[in-house]
Every structure is written in C-alpha cells, then in structure tokens.
Amino acid sequence: MRIVVLVSGSGSNLQAVIDAVAAGTLPVTIAAVGADRPGTGGVRRAAEAGIATFEVDFRKYDERADWNRALTEAVAAHTPDYVVSSGFMRIVDQHFLDRFPNRYLNTHPALLPSFPGAHGVRDALAYGVKVTGCTVMIADAGVDTGPILAQAPVAVLPGDTEETLHERIKVEERRLLIETLTDLAAARSTVGA
Ligand code: GRF
C-alpha cells in the first residue's frame, strides 16, 4: 500500500511511520513526503530516510485554488493509495479530495468533534477537560471533520502545559496512526482492493 505523507512541522509523527516501515512492522511504502512550506523538519527527516520529497509553497500562489491544484498534482505524481496529513496545517479543497476520494487520512491531537482547528491541545487545556486525546479520520473539506476511524484518550495531568500535553498526545497519535495504516493495508491485502 503506497502513501504520501503531508507535513508542515517537525514531522515527529512522520518519523514514527518511517521507523515502523524500516522495522518491517508496517507493510506500507512511503512514496513521498510533501510540505506546504520550505524547511520543515518532516521533509528533512524524509530526505534523510531516502524518501522522495516535494514542497508546494503556499506563499508562491496568489490563489488558494491554484495551490490546491499544484498540491494535487504533486501528490498524484506518486500514485498513493492513501494521503496522510500528519501535522499538515492547511485545509485542502474539494478538487484535492475528489482526486483521492475517501483516501485522505488526518490525525488531530484532540477527541473530535471536540476542539477542532489548529489549537486543539491549547483549547482542551484552556477548557479544563480532564481527558483529551487524539483522532484519526478520513478528512473531508471541513476543518477536522469527516468519518472518524480511531481515537485514543490521554489524561490531562496537573501542571500540564500545552507542550507537555501535546507531546504525551503525540505518543498516542503515532500509535493510532500506525495501527490505522496497518489495518488499512491488511484490508487491502485481504480483499485485494
Ligand atoms: C500533531 O499532533 C498533529 O496532529 C498536529 O500537529 C502535530 C504534528 O507534530 N496537527 P509533528 O510535526 O508530527 O511533530
């Protein structure tokens, strides 16, 4: 099963996928890693692992639709079975989603539908929840909406900051993403999809 992973940040969740593939525990080919901006840790980690990379810099496009089209072509060039948003901080449009119908996975560091958006960890902490967590879903054109595939709870501890809580969530997020990809790969091999 071929995946393209999209990142915007440090790529520590991507690194967990790279490591699982290298360890032979995740039967997936990372065909490429792409970013919406230059200089991401995720693209650097991929390059260090010998994985093809691309950057579709959001700032180089006057129109969002043009950026979406360029991103769609850059991803499609690697013929993925699934596209995985792992810390990718852009919302893609219907043109992108139509190219990869029900094939765009997203992870979010909160228990959706609670605390969607770019600050899910901060918002959960500010709200004062005792349990938050992470979600893997099939993304649609909304912000962190779409059918939920998996979730995991993470307790909020006294004294937690956004950073300490987010790092603890990411541990579960990486596990959940790898489990979800493993299940999807297994489903494909059994039904020969
Ligand atoms: C993840 O928690 C992701 O859900 C959120 O940003 C984090 C990405 O971290 N959008 P990294 O870039 O994988 O380290």
Side-chain angles (χ1 to χ4, degrees):
M1 182 173 91
R2 295 170 60 85
I3 65 172
V4 167
V5 183
L6 299 178
V7 298
S8 294
S10 71
S12 67
N13 287 3
L14 162 70
Q15 188 64 57
V17 177
I18 291 172
D19 295 346
V21 172
T25 56
L26 177 56
V28 153
T29 299
I30 305 172
V33 171
D36 63 324
R37 64 198 73 181
T40 61
V43 163
R44 189 182 73 260
R45 293 172 190 264
E48 285 167 3
I51 297 167
T53 63
F54 60 85
E55 290 171 359
V56 183
D57 188 342
F58 192 75
R59 295 168 306 179
K60 290 187 178 166
Y61 295 82
D62 295 335
E63 297 298 327
R64 190 180 187 94
D66 294 340
W67 175 79
N68 266 283
R69 261 192 296 279
L71 180 72
T72 302
E73 294 315 314
V75 171
H78 295 281
T79 61
D81 297 300
Y82 283 91
V83 186
V84 179
S85 161
S86 182
F88 190 59
M89 299 307 276
R90 300 282 174 199
I91 303 301
V92 295
D93 70 6
Q94 200 57 48
H95 171 79
F96 180 96
L97 295 168
D98 290 346
R99 189 71 165 271
F100 310 104
N102 296 318
R103 289 287 194 269
Y104 185 40
L105 290 179
N106 182 31
T107 68
H108 182 70
L111 291 175
L112 294 172
S114 299
F115 311 116
H119 305 292
V121 179
R122 182 193 309 172
D123 297 343
L125 198 57
Y127 191 92
V129 297
K130 299 304 179 190
V131 176
T132 184
C134 49
T135 303
V136 178
M137 76 281 210
I138 298 279
D140 61 19
V143 177
D144 294 322
T145 53
I148 290 175
L149 296 182
Q151 291 191 303
V154 174
V156 179
L157 301 179
D160 256 336
T161 63
E162 181 182 352
E163 290 70 28
T164 59
L165 178 54
H166 200 167
E167 278 315 309
R168 207 161 55 248
I169 290 171
K170 282 185 185 179
V171 173
E172 287 304 300
E173 203 170 349
R174 293 163 193 154
R175 177 182 63 78
L176 214 52
L177 177 57
I178 288 166
E179 278 180 14
T180 303
L181 289 172
T182 302
D183 293 347
L184 291 171
R188 285 177 55 79
S189 59
T190 44
V191 301

